[in-house]
Each structure stands twice: as structure tokens, then as C-alpha cells.
Amino acid sequence: MYTKEFILNEVNQIRDEIGHDRVEIFIEEIYFKNNELWIITEDRPDKSAIIGKGGWVVGKLREKLGLESIHVESYGDFLNKDYKLKLSKKTVHNLNSTLTGLKNLEKTIDAKIDNIYSFNFDSYFNENEFDESSDTEAVVALSGGVDSSFSLILAKKLGFNPIAVTVDPGTIILPKQFKDNIRTVTENLKIEHEYIETDYSEIVKESFTGKLHPCGRCSKNTGELVKQYAKDKEIPIIIFGDMLATGSQCINLQDDSLYRLNLPASLSVGKQEIKSLIRNYDLKEFKGFGCPLLYEVHRKFPYQKKFSIQRILRETRSGALEPGEALDLIWSFYKTKQ
């Protein structure tokens, strides 16, 4: 329906109208499906030219064409994503597992590789309904944030027949609004959920000395508690919302019979894909980065922001976060009211 020449002409007309310089832009591919347009540019500068300063150009293009959304990506980014997905596929395949969820995950990785430019989780699960395992195959660590909620939705859709668990150290780390999301998503999916109450007072105390960034210790303790829960219940997989452990690191053996699966990372998922799927589940999205404890640490010890920024930049380098999304998160550290 849309050609490269048509899109380039429309983009340059809009750039002229809003006072942007006319530039030569190169498009690799155009895909149109379900009132959504994917524009695959040859490189990132071409992508920037189509998006425009502040997203003005692509926003006006979407309005002019009357489309639900326009996705602009560079061909190089897709080459990287394709490579990571193939590593994930090989890693999951080599497990030679009989578990329903892992077999369905491998099929989904294949589907994403085959539709690398225009894969959409909503459409995919509407068209492909997987049987659920009769046994519980996975424990999902659920914090109430978007990444862990996405992981729970995927675990359910892929047939892992999951249980959700939440480590609850108190409201300074797990505030009420996250618990509201936990209740919403588990009730919506009809998934069993348990809280694991624990004492993180030592982590909080050490954090307020300024010598410790809380995220590392908190993440490690939470992982250990979820792992122990799964071992006690003899459940073979623990699932986390990690987006960084892609490719060959997407799943690894924790003990002789327990695997850790970083579900978003196994599918090389970005934040926009996560938001697109979870918007159907009435979940609240929270601006900013981290929990109330982290913001208090930032307020008392501003130099600790550096380590939080490093975490954000890691996700940006991996492609999980777009630079604009990363900038918004970093800027949230410097607003007057946090």
C-alpha cells in the first residue's frame, strides 16, 4: 500500500513544513499490517531523520496517514536482534526439554525470527493459542512493574502454567501501587500468587550509610528467595523479567534441576513491545526508575545516581531501551519532587 518513494516524499514535505532541513534519507524496507506501519531505515541517522526532533516528523506522518502507529527502526538494529534471537533459539533447543513452556518458547522465537520487522505479541497470541502444561513448570518473580508483569503474561500464554511470587520487604521497596498491579494481573490471568515476606532492614540500613547502592543486594536476595521457593515446590524453572541476559545467556542452570529463564531477554524484547502487550491488562505504568528506597538514597547521596545511570545505560546499549526512554529515566533523578 505504501512505497518507499511515497513515504520519503511525505517525510520531506513534513520536514519542510516544520522548518527541518531537507536531507537524503535511505529506507531498506516498508511493512504495513493492521493499520500499523514499519519503516526500516538503512542506518540510525536515517531513522533519526524520519522521527525528527522531539518525534515531530513521525508524529505528523502518523496523523496525516491516519495510522494507529508507525514504528521506525534501523536495519542494523534488526541484524543485531536477529543474531541474538538465533542464539536464544540454539540455547533453548539444545536443552532438549520436554517442558511444554520451553517448547512453545522455541516456536515463538522461530516466529519472531521469521517476522523480525513486524512481529507483534498481541497478534501472535491471537493467532496462536498454546496448550497449557498440566503441571506448574515455572515460578515467576513478580514485582508489579512492567517487565515482570510482561513475563507473567508471556509465561501464561506460552503454557508454563506458572505460579507468581512476590518478595515483600515492606512499602519502602514494594509500595502499594505495585501491589495493586500484582493483584490486577494475577486476577486477570487467573494465576495463583503468593507473597514471601522478608526482612531487608539490613539492606535499608546499609543503603543509608551511602556505602551501598541497594539494587544489587536487593536483586540478589530476591533471586535467592525465589530460587528456594521453587526448589521447595520442586518446580523446574524460575522466570525473571531480565532484559539484558540475551542470546546464549537467556536460560541457565541454577542447580542440578532448576533453570533460571530471563523471559524478555530470550525474545530480545524492547520496552515498547512490553508496553504494547501489557496495555490490555489495565496495569498502571509508573514514571521514573526504581523503588522509594532508591529515591531516598539518591536524595541523601546524589553520587549514587551514577550507579543507577549505569544500569539504565546498560539497557540502552543492549537495545532494550531507546535513547529517549533512557533520557526520561535519567531526568527523573533530577526533578525537584521525586
Side-chain angles (χ1 to χ4, degrees), residues 3 76 81 95 121 123 138 142 151 182 192 194 197 199 221 233 235 288 290 302 314 338:
T3 65
K81 184 175 289 189
L95 294 175
F121 282 104
S123 301
L142 180 63
S151 297
I182 289 166
E192 181 184 341
E194 289 187 42
E197 294 189 2
D199 182 7
N221 284 20
K233 297 280 187 179
I235 298 171
R314 284 176 62 206
Q338 297 188 1

Side-chain angles (χ1 to χ4, degrees), residues 246-288:
T246 55
S248 56
Q249 299 300 316
C250 69
I251 185 167
N252 53 73
L253 192 62
Q254 298 280 291
D255 286 306
D256 289 339
S257 58
L258 179 65
Y259 284 91
R260 171 174 172 144
L261 171 60
N262 304 298
L263 196 46
S266 72
L267 289 154
S268 292
V269 168
K271 286 288 187 185
Q272 291 305 314
E273 288 180 281
I274 288 175
K275 291 176 182 179
S276 177
L277 181 64
I278 70 166
R279 67 186 175 191
N280 300 322
Y281 292 86
D282 298 321
L283 299 176
K284 295 176 183 175
E285 292 184 36
F286 309 113
K287 294 182 178 180

Side-chain angles (χ1 to χ4, degrees), residues 113-293:
I113 292 170
D114 290 341
N115 299 278
I116 191 73
Y117 296 136
S118 57
F119 184 85
N120 178 279
F121 282 104
D122 256 342
S123 301
Y124 178 72
F125 286 124
N126 284 336
E127 296 167 7
N128 298 273
E129 189 170 338
F130 294 115
D131 291 334
E132 188 167 69
S133 170
S134 56
D135 300 318
T136 296
E137 295 182 349
V139 175
V140 178
L142 180 63
S143 69
V146 294
D147 298 346
S148 67
S149 299
F150 174 85
S151 297
L152 184 63
I153 295 165
L154 241 61
K156 178 70 174 179
K157 295 284 188 182
L158 291 171
F160 282 97
N161 191 8
I163 290 176
V165 298
T166 302
V167 175
D168 185 3
T171 55
I172 194 168
I173 294 175
L174 186 70
K176 179 181 179 298
Q177 59 265 35
F178 283 86
K179 287 188 172 183
D180 291 342
N181 267 2
I182 289 166
R183 183 178 64 254
T184 297
V185 71
T186 53
E187 288 180 355
N188 194 315
L189 295 170
K190 296 180 174 58
I191 288 175
E192 181 184 341
H193 172 259
E194 289 187 42
Y195 280 104
I196 302 173
E197 294 189 2
T198 188
D199 182 7
Y200 278 13
S201 58
E202 195 61 32
I203 294 176
V204 174
K205 182 180 176 181
E206 289 184 11
S207 298
F208 286 140
T209 67
K211 297 177 182 178
L212 170 75
H213 190 280
C215 291
R217 285 278 302 279
C218 187
S219 177
K220 181 180 179 181
N221 284 20
T222 298
E224 289 297 322
L225 288 167
V226 175
K227 182 166 78 171
Q228 190 59 52
Y229 179 95
K231 288 173 69 175
D232 292 344
K233 297 280 187 179
E234 297 183 342
I235 298 171
I237 297 175
I238 50 176
I239 290 177
F240 287 85
D242 189 341
M243 300 172 69
L244 293 177
T246 55
S248 56
Q249 299 300 316
C250 69
I251 185 167
N252 53 73
L253 192 62
Q254 298 280 291
D255 286 306
D256 289 339
S257 58
L258 179 65
Y259 284 91
R260 171 174 172 144
L261 171 60
N262 304 298
L263 196 46
S266 72
L267 289 154
S268 292
V269 168
K271 286 288 187 185
Q272 291 305 314
E273 288 180 281
I274 288 175
K275 291 176 182 179
S276 177
L277 181 64
I278 70 166
R279 67 186 175 191
N280 300 322
Y281 292 86
D282 298 321
L283 299 176
K284 295 176 183 175
E285 292 184 36
F286 309 113
K287 294 182 178 180
F289 177 85
C291 65
L293 172 61

Side-chain angles (χ1 to χ4, degrees), residues 2-68:
Y2 297 108
T3 65
K4 298 178 188 179
E5 293 74 19
F6 173 81
I7 294 298
L8 288 172
N9 183 60
E10 293 294 322
V11 166
N12 273 312
Q13 279 190 22
I14 293 169
R15 289 182 66 88
D16 286 341
E17 290 167 6
I18 64 179
H20 285 12
D21 294 335
R22 182 175 281 264
V23 294
E24 191 172 10
I25 303 169
F26 298 93
I27 294 177
E28 180 78 18
E29 297 284 354
I30 295 285
Y31 286 88
F32 180 72
K33 185 178 179 181
N34 298 331
N35 207 32
E36 291 186 279
L37 179 67
W38 280 262
I39 303 172
I40 315 303
T41 64
E42 287 193 357
D43 205 353
R44 273 189 164 261
D46 303 301
K47 173 181 175 177
S48 298
I50 292 177
I51 292 174
K53 296 174 184 176
W56 279 19
V57 177
V58 74
K60 286 185 174 293
L61 180 65
R62 184 187 64 79
E63 291 175 5
K64 190 172 183 179
L65 300 181
L67 300 178
E68 184 175 323

